[in-house]
Amino acid sequence: MRRAIVILAAVFLSEIAAFGADDPLPAWNDGPAKQAIVAFVEQVTTEGSPQFVPAADRIATFDNDGTLWCEHPTYTQMAFALDRVKALAPEHPEWKTKQPFQAALDDDLNALGAAGVKGMIELVMASHAGMTTSQFETIVADWFKTARHPRFKRPYTELAYQPMLELLAYLRANGFKTYIVSGGGLEFMRPMTEAVYGIPPEQVVGSTIKTKYEVEDGKPVLMRLPELDFIDDKTGKPINIDRYIGKRPIAAFGNSAGDREMLEWTGAGAGPRLMMLVFHDDAQREYAYGPANGLADTKFGTFPESLMNEAQAKGWVVTSMKNDWKRVFAFDK
Amino acid sequence: MRRAIVILAAVFLSEIAAFGADDPLPAWNDGPAKQAIVAFVEQVTTEGSPQFVPAADRIATFDNDGTLWCEHPTYTQMAFALDRVKALAPEHPEWKTKQPFQAALDDDLNALGAAGVKGMIELVMASHAGMTTSQFETIVADWFKTARHPRFKRPYTELAYQPMLELLAYLRANGFKTYIVSGGGLEFMRPMTEAVYGIPPEQVVGSTIKTKYEVEDGKPVLMRLPELDFIDDKTGKPINIDRYIGKRPIAAFGNSAGDREMLEWTGAGAGPRLMMLVFHDDAQREYAYGPANGLADTKFGTFPESLMNEAQAKGWVVTSMKNDWKRVFAFDK
């Protein structure tokens, strides 16, 4: 009898351990967001069910800034651009008195905000072009090694959200192909997406500048030109999803007005769908912005009231960082 | 003794059968082209060898027209455009007397040739735009069901080259990811690439026209605009390979001057490489053009002498359809 109890206890404990080990989303609290994810994945992977989706069509697209990693106090790529402008400043004495370069050199985020998209594009063109694609890759990879986030004092690559990393892995374990579809620069993201997110270069879609094929000393190179090719934001996202992937996603994840059309496009397909927005309401562990702190229209990660209304009307899942996430970053206790 | 002979014979025969069954490239004659392919694949897949390439980097890119399927007497997409122009002609009475439409309505390939790239683009804009992406997909898929090649009297999808189908499958069985990188229209190819080549939509790269995100009756659509986005030919191929794939191929396959830069770009990477050109010298089973019949500069599938010289200088494999291919099409005896 005693032995039987020991065996039963052992079975019971091993089942608890197995359940714990089997939970693919341990950084998520057991709330509506996690339940929606698990229910959706079970639905589309249950063979014989009318909701079953073949693996080849299990396409999931993720915005990057503010959805997979931190985008405050500024986009990571903007931090990179500012560092590049500083590094290039000795060759451009005129920048000291010329906007938006002056603002960049002074780390004046307000003046940069005032310079708007036009200013941002000017900075990107000055700092992201004029070299070959492989030179740029090295510059970006080197920058990620040394740059540190101003608040968290850690490499930007450590500011990926732990719950989203688990979600990516969970979807892939269930036969999904996971893509990044970001307003960020394609070639700024690619040097780190495989290591940080497990997403290979060919599954990254982003904004692009033009490149030119040239032969230097008998060796072909692709020169990065200071000319915009395509902005992968807002309506650009479904356009690029169609162009690069050629299939409509069955799940899409975003956090701002820039992701609205991607979620609409995803939701307009037939069959089961999961659309989710990450809502930044956690000033303590990360940031609170958008409607969460009364700022309907911040410079980065715009989350207008109309987006919240559309989410509610269309049944998009709004994930609260504060309530739905047990941990935000891997380094959180 | 007699029984021993029977057993030996059985073993011998089964070994022959096994060897036959194991040959992944039965439509290739045992010549230099086939040997180069097999040697390359063994080289990059042998673990521990200094030439070993991890599966994630085994990227192979294929031109489509003239490399994977027949491109004569005209590109398949041009045949489609001509049929579309005829179908739309009742709505455009002015086309009867306006080039290049008049030539299209009269099947006048010489006049179409004279209209050049500009004429071709005009025909494509008139016939490939003005509908949603999903409407276009249906139009293309329907066309493939009914259209027949003028010489072979078969669906165009049956005019894929059997040796190249085997090569695609052989590479994939060895961990390669196979891509199409074609001057042809991206959305013209995608409805058939999976069924014909086993290549999913997300591994097809091609020329594009612009699209626009619109909401019709509350449902988002992508409208195809009569405006060129990008021509995926010549220098456009390495540019698009970098943009869509983000990795340099280790193997590339083409058949014309439009593929030159793709092969140069592939060859310029470090480590083992396979660059191959299909040479159309088989007027009996398919077509002979380019240098094979003294036409250095045909309208379709231009293969100038300079390309042959570059191939020889750089060790690119030139595959002779006549000598290297046991069968050209699956329907060949």
Side-chain angles (χ1 to χ4, degrees):
Chain A
M1 179 65 188
R2 198 170 144 196
R3 200 174 148 198
I5 289 171
V6 169
I7 290 170
L8 271 176
V11 168
F12 183 67
L13 286 172
S14 77
E15 276 183 359
I16 290 178
F19 182 80
D22 277 358
D23 180 3
L25 303 170
W28 291 75
N29 286 317
D30 189 21
K34 179 173 181 171
Q35 285 160 16
I37 293 167
V38 173
F40 170 74
V41 169
E42 284 178 359
Q43 202 181 28
V44 300
T45 56
T46 302
E47 281 191 60
S49 139
Q51 309 272 286
F52 177 75
V53 176
D57 294 327
R58 290 181 210 152
I59 304 289
T61 55
F62 290 80
D63 169 57
N64 185 37
D65 297 302
T67 299
L68 292 179
W69 74 1
C70 184
E71 66 179 351
H72 267 229
T74 180
Y75 295 133
T76 306
Q77 189 170 1
M78 180 56 101
F80 167 76
L82 298 186
D83 283 353
R84 284 294 300 157
V85 165
K86 285 170 198 157
L88 296 169
E91 301 162 37
H92 297 275
E94 75 280 9
W95 285 355
K96 278 187 201 151
T97 54
K98 191 182 165 193
Q99 291 297 12
F101 300 97
Q102 188 184 347
L105 296 175
D106 296 346
D107 281 319
D108 183 347
L109 291 185
N110 285 329
L112 283 172
V117 172
K118 191 176 160 286
M120 210 153 98
I121 288 172
E122 269 187 85
L123 290 179
V124 167
M125 292 306 141
S127 58
H128 288 54
M131 70 289 279
T132 69
T133 49
S134 65
Q135 285 166 342
F136 185 68
E137 190 182 330
T138 304
I139 291 168
V140 171
D142 287 348
W143 182 82
F144 272 119
K145 279 180 213 151
T146 56
R148 295 293 178 270
H149 187 277
R151 171 175 161 193
F152 296 105
K153 316 292 182 202
R154 286 171 180 273
Y156 286 92
T157 47
E158 290 183 20
L159 297 177
Y161 303 133
Q162 179 61 22
M164 298 306 283
L165 295 178
E166 293 170 3
L167 175 56
L168 286 167
Y170 175 54
L171 291 174
R172 288 194 292 261
N174 281 282
F176 279 76
K177 210 163 172 177
T178 53
Y179 283 84
I180 289 174
V181 178
S182 166
L186 178 64
E187 304 211 72
F188 176 74
M189 294 183 283
R190 277 179 172 161
M192 65 81 200
T193 56
E194 179 101 56
V196 176
Y197 303 125
I199 295 181
E202 63 267 35
Q203 284 161 232
V204 181
V205 179
S207 294
T208 40
I209 63 176
K210 297 200 171 167
T211 61
K212 186 167 185 278
Y213 183 86
E214 289 177 2
V215 179
E216 281 183 356
D217 303 327
K219 210 178 152 145
V221 295
L222 292 172
M223 283 299 297
R224 291 173 59 82
L225 306 181
E227 199 179 335
L228 265 182
D229 175 54
F230 193 81
I231 304 271
D232 186 48
D233 200 35
K234 297 194 171 76
T235 62
K237 292 200 177 195
I239 289 171
N240 257 357
I241 286 170
D242 185 62
R243 189 184 289 163
Y244 284 72
I245 310 177
K247 289 174 180 168
R248 193 190 297 256
I250 64 168
F253 305 85
N255 80 303
S256 81
D259 304 311
R260 187 198 298 265
E261 288 84 359
M262 175 167 77
L263 270 64
E264 288 174 349
W265 178 248
T266 301
R273 288 292 186 273
L274 178 65
M275 281 70 67
M276 183 175 276
L277 289 166
V278 174
F279 186 53
H280 294 260
D281 56 358
D282 194 334
Q284 205 180 335
R285 294 185 299 178
E286 203 239 16
Y287 294 94
Y289 52 99
N293 66 353
L295 296 173
D297 196 356
T298 61
K299 280 187 228 56
F300 303 105
T302 311
F303 197 128
E305 212 182 336
S306 65
L307 184 62
M308 186 62 93
N309 293 342
E310 184 168 352
Q312 276 160 0
K314 293 185 174 168
W316 299 350
V317 179
V318 178
T319 295
S320 155
M321 292 184 87
K322 198 170 170 178
N323 301 322
D324 288 313
W325 288 2
K326 204 172 285 175
R327 289 195 297 162
V328 173
F329 301 114
F331 56 77
D332 283 341
K333 273 159 222 102
Chain B
M1 181 63 185
R2 197 171 147 193
R3 198 173 148 198
I5 289 171
V6 170
I7 289 170
L8 270 176
V11 168
F12 184 67
L13 288 171
S14 76
E15 274 182 1
I16 289 177
F19 182 80
D22 277 358
D23 180 4
L25 303 170
W28 291 73
N29 287 318
D30 190 19
K34 180 174 182 173
Q35 285 160 14
I37 293 167
V38 173
F40 170 75
V41 169
E42 284 179 358
Q43 202 180 29
V44 301
T45 55
T46 303
E47 281 192 61
S49 139
Q51 310 272 288
F52 177 75
V53 176
D57 294 327
R58 290 182 210 150
I59 304 290
T61 54
F62 291 80
D63 169 59
N64 186 36
D65 297 302
T67 300
L68 291 179
W69 73 3
C70 183
E71 64 180 352
H72 266 230
T74 179
Y75 294 133
T76 305
Q77 189 170 0
M78 180 58 98
F80 167 76
L82 299 186
D83 282 354
R84 284 294 300 158
V85 165
K86 285 170 198 158
L88 296 169
E91 300 162 38
H92 297 275
E94 74 280 11
W95 286 354
K96 277 186 201 151
T97 55
K98 192 183 165 190
Q99 292 297 15
F101 300 96
Q102 189 185 344
L105 296 175
D106 296 345
D107 281 318
D108 183 347
L109 291 186
N110 285 330
L112 283 173
V117 173
K118 193 176 159 288
M120 208 153 100
I121 289 172
E122 269 188 88
L123 289 179
V124 167
M125 292 306 140
S127 57
H128 288 55
M131 69 290 277
T132 70
T133 49
S134 65
Q135 286 165 343
F136 185 68
E137 190 182 330
T138 304
I139 291 168
V140 171
D142 288 347
W143 183 82
F144 273 118
K145 280 180 212 152
T146 56
R148 295 293 178 269
H149 186 275
R151 171 173 162 195
F152 297 104
K153 316 290 181 205
R154 287 172 180 271
Y156 286 91
T157 47
E158 290 184 20
L159 297 177
Y161 304 133
Q162 180 62 22
M164 297 306 281
L165 296 178
E166 293 171 1
L167 175 55
L168 286 167
Y170 174 54
L171 290 174
R172 288 194 291 262
N174 281 283
F176 279 76
K177 210 162 172 177
T178 53
Y179 283 85
I180 289 174
V181 178
S182 166
L186 178 64
E187 305 211 71
F188 176 73
M189 294 184 283
R190 277 180 173 162
M192 65 79 202
T193 57
E194 179 102 55
V196 176
Y197 303 125
I199 294 181
E202 63 268 35
Q203 283 161 232
V204 181
V205 179
S207 295
T208 40
I209 63 175
K210 296 199 172 170
T211 61
K212 186 167 186 276
Y213 184 86
E214 288 177 2
V215 179
E216 279 183 355
D217 303 326
K219 210 176 154 149
V221 296
L222 292 172
M223 282 301 296
R224 292 173 58 82
L225 306 181
E227 198 180 335
L228 265 182
D229 175 54
F230 193 80
I231 303 270
D232 187 48
D233 200 34
K234 298 192 171 76
T235 62
K237 291 199 178 196
I239 288 171
N240 256 357
I241 286 171
D242 185 62
R243 190 183 289 161
Y244 283 72
I245 311 177
K247 288 174 181 170
R248 194 191 296 257
I250 64 167
F253 304 84
N255 80 304
S256 82
D259 304 311
R260 188 197 296 264
E261 288 83 0
M262 174 167 76
L263 270 63
E264 289 174 348
W265 178 248
T266 301
R273 289 290 186 275
L274 178 65
M275 279 71 66
M276 184 175 274
L277 289 166
V278 174
F279 187 52
H280 294 261
D281 57 358
D282 194 335
Q284 205 179 335
R285 296 185 299 178
E286 204 239 15
Y287 294 94
Y289 52 99
N293 65 353
L295 296 173
D297 197 355
T298 60
K299 280 187 226 60
F300 303 108
T302 311
F303 197 126
E305 212 184 335
S306 65
L307 183 63
M308 187 62 94
N309 293 342
E310 184 168 351
Q312 277 159 1
K314 295 185 173 168
W316 299 351
V317 180
V318 178
T319 296
S320 155
M321 293 184 88
K322 199 170 170 179
N323 301 322
D324 289 313
W325 288 3
K326 203 171 285 176
R327 290 194 297 163
V328 173
F329 301 113
F331 55 79
D332 282 343
K333 273 159 224 108

